Amino acid sequence: MSKYSIQQFIQKSRQEDKGQGLFELETERILEVNLNGDIWAKMGSMISYEGSIKFQREGMLEHGLGKLMKKALTGEGSQLMKASGNGKLYIADQGKKITILDLEGDSIYINGNDLLAFEKGLDWDIKLMRRVAGMMAGGLFNVRLEGQGMVAFTSHYEPLTLMVHPGQPVYTDPNATVAWSGNLQPEFVTDVQLKTFLGRGSGESIQMKFAGDGFVVVQPFEEVYTTGE
């Protein structure tokens, strides 16, 4: 049999049940959700499903008036969808690499554009980075998740986790920052010298400064954020 035959291709690429629970990495860039109930996922992330699953756009007051106002401010009013039912759901986001975390009472901030899916039982809230909103296209917002449950986020290529220690702050490019531990509150600082070095004519070079004890996740890619429709 040719190593390029259809049978060989199917054998190499077909779906496999790994028995890992609700969220499984079917490949590095496709998340399998073994659905039995509800999850939240990024709008438009479904690529395939089997079974009895319904998809519902996030309701206007689904999460209360406070979150509705924040979502209006971020321009991301229709970013989440609810998948409900029983079956297998496959989701992805522009071929980005997927990371799964099982929160065990922990908390984490994830850049809103990189949040792929999370269990309905997790507590979450939207945080708008107001200081940087006017400086970048669409600004930046993030989601704080806390509690018991699984969450999946995406990154362009392999993510790198940097440890933050007291007295040793870590500085990151906001466009390359994916996530950070829930106890950290980043500051925004400007670097005029870096702006001059990069030859950027408009605006300052904005950096995120993480100080304290925790971690921050970056990706080897500067993402351009745009507001939703």
Side-chain angles (χ1 to χ4, degrees), residues 33-52:
V33 183
N34 294 297
L35 192 63
N36 182 19
D38 301 331
I39 64 145
W40 288 104
K42 187 171 186 175
M43 179 67 76
S45 61
M46 186 276 289
I47 59 172
S48 180
Y49 72 92
E50 56 187 76
S52 178

Side-chain angles (χ1 to χ4, degrees), residues 51-67:
S52 178
I53 300 176
K54 290 184 178 180
F55 300 93
Q56 194 174 3
R57 181 186 290 267
E58 183 180 16
M60 286 292 285
L61 293 175
E62 183 107 33
H63 306 293
L65 189 59
K67 286 182 181 175

Side-chain angles (χ1 to χ4, degrees), residues 11-175:
Q11 185 175 344
K12 185 176 180 181
S13 64
R14 73 179 179 183
Q15 179 266 336
E16 293 181 11
D17 283 320
K18 301 181 178 71
Q20 295 171 347
L22 177 65
F23 286 2
E24 293 184 16
L25 281 181
E26 190 56 40
T27 74
E28 288 187 340
R29 303 173 193 280
I30 298 176
L31 178 70
E32 177 184 295
V33 183
N34 294 297
L35 192 63
N36 182 19
D38 301 331
I39 64 145
W40 288 104
K42 187 171 186 175
M43 179 67 76
S45 61
M46 186 276 289
I47 59 172
S48 180
Y49 72 92
E50 56 187 76
S52 178
I53 300 176
K54 290 184 178 180
F55 300 93
Q56 194 174 3
R57 181 186 290 267
E58 183 180 16
M60 286 292 285
L61 293 175
E62 183 107 33
H63 306 293
L65 189 59
K67 286 182 181 175
L68 173 66
M69 294 298 293
K70 290 177 188 176
K71 292 182 81 64
L73 284 170
T74 62
E76 297 287 347
S78 61
Q79 192 189 7
L80 292 176
M81 65 179 182
K82 182 164 62 176
S84 308
N86 291 274
K88 289 188 182 297
L89 169 63
Y90 299 94
I91 56 179
D93 185 18
Q94 299 179 355
K96 298 196 311 190
K97 187 178 175 69
I98 299 170
T99 299
I100 299 173
L101 295 177
D102 192 356
L103 300 186
E104 300 174 316
D106 312 296
S107 61
I108 189 171
Y109 285 94
I110 298 176
N111 185 296
N113 201 49
D114 300 317
L115 182 61
L116 181 62
F118 59 95
E119 282 194 69
K120 191 180 177 186
L122 287 172
D123 292 326
W124 63 280
D125 196 13
I126 297 167
K127 306 289 184 180
L128 176 63
M129 300 183 185
R130 290 182 177 82
R131 278 200 57 194
V132 80
M135 305 176 191
M136 309 178 74
L140 284 175
F141 76 102
N142 52 73
V143 180
R144 188 179 193 274
L145 300 111
E146 184 174 19
Q148 302 279 342
M150 303 190 84
V151 58
F153 66 87
T154 59
S155 61
H156 287 276
Y157 312 106
E158 285 69 30
L160 174 68
T161 300
L162 304 168
M163 302 309 297
V164 181
H165 301 291
Q168 300 176 13
V170 172
Y171 297 84
T172 66
D173 182 330
N175 295 87

